[in-house]
Amino acid sequence: MSGAVRTILPVVLAFWPATAGAQQAAAPPPALVAADLRPGTDLTGQWHYSIDPYRAGIRGFHGETPNASERRWAEVDVPATLARDRAALFEFDMAAAPVATLPGGWMTHAPEMRHYQGLVWYQRHFTAAPTAGKRQFLRFGAVNYRARVYLNGVEVGGHEGGFTPFAIEVTGRVRGGDNQVTVAVDSTVDATSVPPPVTDWENYGGITRDVRLLETAATFVDDAWVRLTRTGRIAVDARLNGGAAAGAPVRLTIAALGLTLSGRTDAEGRWHAEAPPPRRLARWSPDSPRLYDVAVEAGEDRWRDRVGFRTIERRGRDILLNGRPVFLRGVSLHEEEFGGAPARAITPAAARALLAEAKTGLHANFVRLAHYPHGEVTTRLADEMGLLVWSEVPVYWLIAWDNPATLAAARAMLAENIVRDRNRAAIAIWSIANETPDSPARNAFLGALADDVRRLDDTRLLGAALLTRRSEEGGHPVMTMDDPLATRLDVMGINTYNGWYTADRLADVPAIGWRVPADKPLIFSEFGADAKAGFHDTAADPRKFSEEFQRDYYAATLAMAAKIPSLRGLSPWILKDFRSPRRQNGWQQGYNRKGLVSETGQRKLAFGVLADFYAGRAAHDGHAR
Ligand code: GCU
């Protein structure tokens, strides 16, 4: 697809005050990244779709710009044109193409779409009534992997990255009455993408989250970040977008606290203010996830959100939530709903089913949302239900570390993720990588991401899931983590699979030694074993893939973990069996079966082992189960 989508770096620089990017003229920051609560016209529902495996709608047969017979985005009534003009020729007819209900990955649109990867054209019509003097934007929650958007036959913008939102300004292009929107969605990931082509999850191509037409005032509050600083003060940073952004009066209101802060924006339309919190502020925590309605007003525009106030920090090897040590009782999950035919269509009910199984089923206070930003539906629900969150970008396994375009894409995804969710009290950790091999190019790449996190958010912890190396000492295996990246992190995540991907007998696992930096919190960000729900083996040494083996694996690994003094959390792999094309044996059938519950929600024996462990831990720590 066109290189246009790749001029991302200036976008990243634009997200923070000019000082940072002074040497480069910052492009205007992408608009409306954190705008899921803004009222708008819902454009989900019925869309026509048409596959285009050879990208005929993008490149003609010799790579030239396609002519009218291929332009899927054009405004054309094919049957009427053919009736009028016998010589006319169209290689497509979007209005007659099959219909699918969006959002959701295309693999469940029809049986033949199950393994389709490549380009799909989506199109629908909608009625609009744009208000004179106001601005209009098409906002997408997520389109995997690359998107080109057309409105009324004109290309209006695009995006790269399957897990973060983007909004395209269409002021002056939206008509009163009928409009036609077309989206070219290309799920193809290549060696330069983020993530790379080889992962352990299903590459759900499609428009997987909400689509809306938003209308704003000519100048509006594009981004506002309201939080408790590490020094315990309420702070707000707001940025206006529009001709009247500079020197504009602005006001923050938190009615339930009787707090109002007001001021004027600077020459760039930015405003910062701080105040001590009122005495009656109730801090957010998993045990009491108190949220407050907050509003930022500027001119006729009103931005609003529901925000929890809490501090999260590291002191030595402790993680402190509101100044008190906390142990993260967690579980990992993919963005995939329960059911026999998931399509990454996460409704509020689907998100609640997943998080409730973690919170009330496992007694968890923490979830690792792997390996990419999950939808706002999920992160908002974590706020509401009281679950701390590990949020990450899909810098996974083998990335093109020395490719500047890949770095730019990763930086944009990270910035979009942070700006989208930095008002979520639930989010405790921004993670920048998963299981990436140490090398100078990798360290430079991840170093840039680490700097971006520090610049964009000084109130949360920086983490990554790291690899270890194994040695034998005194007849016992010893796992050593000496990844140089750890020095940049607040929290070290380690993925460990001793006894599953190694030949260790489970009885020997508790004795495995660990050599890790002692002065930093360690989280076992992954450990797990596959089990096919319902497959039982009551032998003394149960076979792999049986529920009994998984049960015993958990018991052994928890015993091993309990011996590590700096361990401050766990997010076992994984809550639910999930689709993975890598997994094709008789028990797996296209699923990674490391779930503690099956894809349809059937709990396995190991579920009880972890739930009991967490209940005990919660009681020990004086927390609600
Ligand atoms: C890895 C990886 C996961 C994968 C898991 C597994 O650690 O991070 O994405 O699914 O192991 O092998 O099951």
Side-chain angles (χ1 to χ4, degrees):
M1 277 219 178
S2 79
V5 175
R6 283 269 163 111
T7 53
I8 291 170
L9 182 52
V11 174
V12 179
L13 292 175
F15 270 126
W16 55 78
T19 47
Q23 75 279 11
Q24 280 212 355
L32 298 166
V33 170
D36 60 318
L37 288 186
R38 266 191 184 274
T41 308
D42 176 17
L43 297 179
T44 58
Q46 306 283 286
W47 289 61
H48 290 282
Y49 71 95
S50 178
I51 65 168
D52 188 2
Y54 296 154
R55 298 180 177 77
I58 300 281
R59 290 271 166 281
F61 90 115
H62 278 166
E64 74 286 353
T65 305
N67 61 35
S69 71
E70 297 281 10
R71 293 183 189 156
R72 276 92 169 145
W73 68 86
E75 282 198 287
V76 59
D77 179 335
V78 171
T81 310
L82 293 175
R84 240 191 354 263
D85 170 2
R86 289 263 177 273
L89 170 68
F90 294 100
E91 307 285 4
F92 69 91
D93 184 354
M94 293 301 294
V99 171
T101 303
L102 301 183
W106 61 52
M107 66 170 54
T108 54
H109 289 355
E112 62 274 19
M113 294 296 284
R114 172 66 186 85
H115 292 295
Y116 180 79
Q117 295 293 346
L119 179 60
V120 173
W121 293 88
Y122 284 96
Q123 189 172 91
R124 67 161 290 171
H125 284 252
F126 64 92
T127 304
T131 313
K134 295 217 167 186
R135 297 165 68 188
Q136 290 79 30
F137 297 81
L138 283 170
R139 185 179 186 272
F140 296 81
V143 177
N144 190 39
Y145 178 71
R146 288 190 180 91
R148 287 174 73 158
V149 180
Y150 305 77
L151 183 63
N152 299 330
V154 177
E155 184 165 9
V156 287
H159 185 259
E160 174 179 351
F163 306 100
T164 46
F166 61 100
I168 297 168
E169 178 147 19
V170 289
T171 308
R173 293 202 179 284
V174 177
R175 295 189 295 242
D178 180 62
N179 291 268
Q180 174 187 285
V181 57
T182 308
V183 187
V185 181
D186 195 334
S187 68
T188 310
V189 280
D190 57 35
T192 69
S193 312
V194 182
V198 176
T199 68
D200 190 28
W201 70 84
E202 188 76 46
N203 184 30
Y204 285 95
I207 299 176
T208 56
R209 296 183 194 147
D210 65 334
V211 186
R212 296 185 304 140
L213 178 70
L214 303 181
E215 183 166 84
T216 71
T219 296
F220 63 94
V221 181
D222 194 352
D223 178 31
W225 180 24
V226 184
R227 74 274 186 199
L228 211 54
T229 64
R230 286 252 164 96
T231 55
R233 292 165 63 78
I234 290 190
V236 55
D237 277 278
R239 176 173 51 78
L240 304 192
N241 179 328
V250 276
R251 184 176 56 207
L252 165 73
T253 308
I254 311 178
L257 293 175
L259 183 84
T260 300
L261 297 179
S262 48
R264 264 183 197 284
T265 56
D266 64 16
E268 291 187 353
R270 296 172 189 274
W271 175 56
H272 174 83
E274 286 186 22
R279 231 178 243 293
R280 64 176 178 278
L281 173 74
R283 294 228 182 166
W284 183 98
S285 73
D287 292 348
S288 62
R290 177 72 162 91
L291 299 175
Y292 290 88
D293 289 314
V294 303
V296 174
E297 289 153 298
E300 61 179 293
D301 189 57
R302 187 168 190 278
W303 170 96
R304 67 180 186 84
D305 205 340
R306 282 180 62 66
V307 169
F309 294 96
R310 54 99 191 93
T311 58
I312 185 99
E313 57 198 305
R314 172 182 88 89
R315 193 169 300 156
R317 58 187 177 201
D318 285 334
I319 296 174
L320 305 184
L321 174 65
N322 296 323
R324 288 183 52 203
V326 63
F327 185 89
L328 303 177
R329 309 186 312 270
V331 70
S332 296
L333 57 158
H334 266 292
E335 187 177 40
E336 195 180 79
E337 69 275 21
F338 279 118
R344 191 176 284 157
I346 303 289
T347 60
R352 191 174 289 279
L354 291 163
L355 296 188
E357 192 62 342
K359 174 106 184 172
T360 45
L362 288 173
H363 312 298
N365 62 3
F366 173 61
V367 285
R368 177 187 177 192
L369 302 181
H371 288 292
Y372 37 77
H374 290 210
E376 291 116 318
V377 169
T378 302
T379 53
R380 281 191 180 280
L381 208 49
D383 256 11
E384 188 197 308
M385 292 171 72
L387 281 163
L388 289 158
V389 167
W390 163 301
S391 170
E392 70 187 77
V393 284
V395 176
Y396 180 96
W397 290 353
L398 300 179
I399 294 278
W401 305 115
D402 43 21
N403 181 320
T406 303
L407 175 59
R411 294 185 71 187
M413 291 173 197
L414 179 66
E416 288 165 0
N417 187 32
I418 294 177
V419 169
R420 189 197 78 177
D421 275 358
R422 59 185 170 183
N423 282 314
R424 304 281 71 75
I427 299 198
I429 301 169
W430 300 118
S431 176
I432 55 174
N434 180 74
E435 294 190 349
T436 53
D438 174 15
S439 75
R442 172 258 196 184
N443 295 337
F445 189 109
L446 296 181
L449 297 187
D451 292 344
D452 287 349
V453 172
R454 298 295 188 202
R455 252 194 299 267
L456 281 166
D457 184 354
D458 58 358
T459 68
R460 290 183 172 85
L461 304 170
L462 171 61
L466 306 170
L467 294 167
T468 51
R469 52 187 179 79
R470 182 180 162 118
S471 55
E472 297 290 326
E473 294 172 24
H476 282 296
V478 174
M479 310 301 292
T480 301
M481 198 295 294
D482 51 11
D483 184 331
L485 180 68
T487 57
R488 301 292 314 267
L489 307 177
D490 301 310
V491 173
M492 302 174 297
I494 287 181
N495 299 351
T496 176
Y497 286 93
N498 294 313
W500 179 255
Y501 288 127
T502 69
D504 297 299
R505 291 177 329 113
L506 295 184
D508 300 332
V509 167
I512 292 178
W514 283 85
R515 194 166 293 125
V516 295
D519 63 344
K520 235 170 223 183
L522 168 69
I523 292 178
F524 271 152
S525 38
E526 287 183 34
F527 63 89
D530 284 56
K532 171 72 175 151
F535 168 43
H536 290 284
D537 181 352
T538 53
D541 58 342
R543 279 169 296 165
K544 286 187 173 179
F545 291 98
S546 69
E547 290 198 34
E548 286 75 9
F549 181 93
Q550 190 190 47
R551 174 200 62 198
D552 298 349
Y553 169 93
Y554 266 75
T557 305
L558 290 171
M560 174 189 75
K563 296 183 179 156
I564 304 174
S566 57
L567 187 81
R568 293 295 179 273
L570 303 165
S571 54
W573 196 256
I574 185 166
L575 177 68
K576 178 185 81 67
D577 291 356
F578 62 95
R579 288 191 201 264
S580 168
R582 296 166 58 88
R583 313 293 175 170
Q584 300 296 343
N585 75 20
W587 290 293
Q588 294 167 325
Q589 304 144 322
Y591 276 83
N592 182 312
R593 296 264 177 222
K594 293 191 179 68
L596 290 163
V597 301
S598 72
E599 69 272 27
T600 52
Q602 187 183 340
R603 292 182 180 177
K604 305 175 192 176
L605 293 176
F607 188 100
V609 173
L610 189 64
D612 293 349
F613 177 78
Y614 282 166
R617 182 82 219 204
H620 170 270
D621 297 349
H623 289 294
R625 285 167 22 131

